[in-house]
Amino acid sequence: MTFTLKLIFFTLALLGGLFPLEAQEIDPTWMEAEATITEIHKSIGRRGRTNAFADVTFTTKKEEAIQTRVEILAIPIYGAVKSTGDIITIYYDPETPQVARSKNISFFNTYGMYILIALGIILSTARILKMRKKSISA
């Protein structure tokens, strides 16, 4: 195995140990419901992070029709993965059903861009070190 591959595996193992790989846990008292997306909003933060929010409607177990907004999975530059009219699974607080959360937010949605940047730096550093070693030995 080459030095570059060893460096990549070591870095991924280090990053994997630092961050939880599962999505944030939902409170077990919250209820699951199927919601229909009525509108999607995209925002780009100061650091280039893309967030997508969906206005959704769903019916609670008590047969109440609720409209609220939840965060959904978004890819930088592209935007939301879902579209208007799609049905998604959400979790809501039975006491205040307007407080809801999508289950689509994951570790990779939150930290994916940072991981790609770190991999780019690692690969570039390994390449520069390899080129430097060749020039010294020549």
Side-chain angles (χ1 to χ4, degrees):
M1 191 181 305
T2 66
F3 173 74
T4 306
L5 287 176
K6 288 179 184 177
L7 188 61
I8 291 171
F9 288 134
F10 175 74
T11 305
L12 288 175
L14 182 66
L15 287 174
L18 293 176
F19 300 112
L21 291 177
E22 295 180 17
Q24 184 177 359
E25 287 294 319
I26 303 291
D27 187 341
T29 62
W30 285 30
M31 306 297 288
E32 183 177 319
E34 298 293 317
T36 304
I37 297 175
T38 57
E39 191 174 350
I40 294 180
H41 308 278
K42 182 174 91 171
S43 69
I44 300 175
R46 291 188 315 184
R47 296 184 181 178
R49 180 185 165 135
T50 302
N51 293 329
F53 299 93
D55 291 340
V56 297
T57 56
F58 67 96
T59 305
T60 66
K61 299 283 185 193
K62 297 178 184 177
E63 299 298 323
E64 296 176 272
I66 303 293
Q67 183 174 3
T68 189
R69 183 175 286 181
V70 295
E71 186 174 0
I72 58 175
L73 182 63
I75 298 172
I77 300 171
Y78 176 73
V81 176
K82 299 289 185 178
S83 58
T84 304
D86 286 351
I87 296 175
I88 62 171
T89 301
I90 64 164
Y91 297 92
Y92 67 93
D93 184 356
E95 300 295 320
T96 53
Q98 292 80 11
V99 178
R101 173 174 285 159
S102 163
K103 76 174 193 175
N104 295 346
I105 305 306
S106 68
F107 168 80
F108 295 105
N109 186 37
T110 306
Y111 299 108
M113 189 60 70
Y114 300 115
I115 292 171
L116 290 175
I117 291 170
L119 281 174
I121 291 170
I122 291 165
L123 290 173
S124 298
T125 304
R127 182 96 171 153
I128 290 169
L129 291 174
K130 186 176 180 181
M131 288 173 48
R132 184 180 233 181
K133 186 177 179 181
K134 274 187 178 180
S135 68
I136 291 174
S137 64

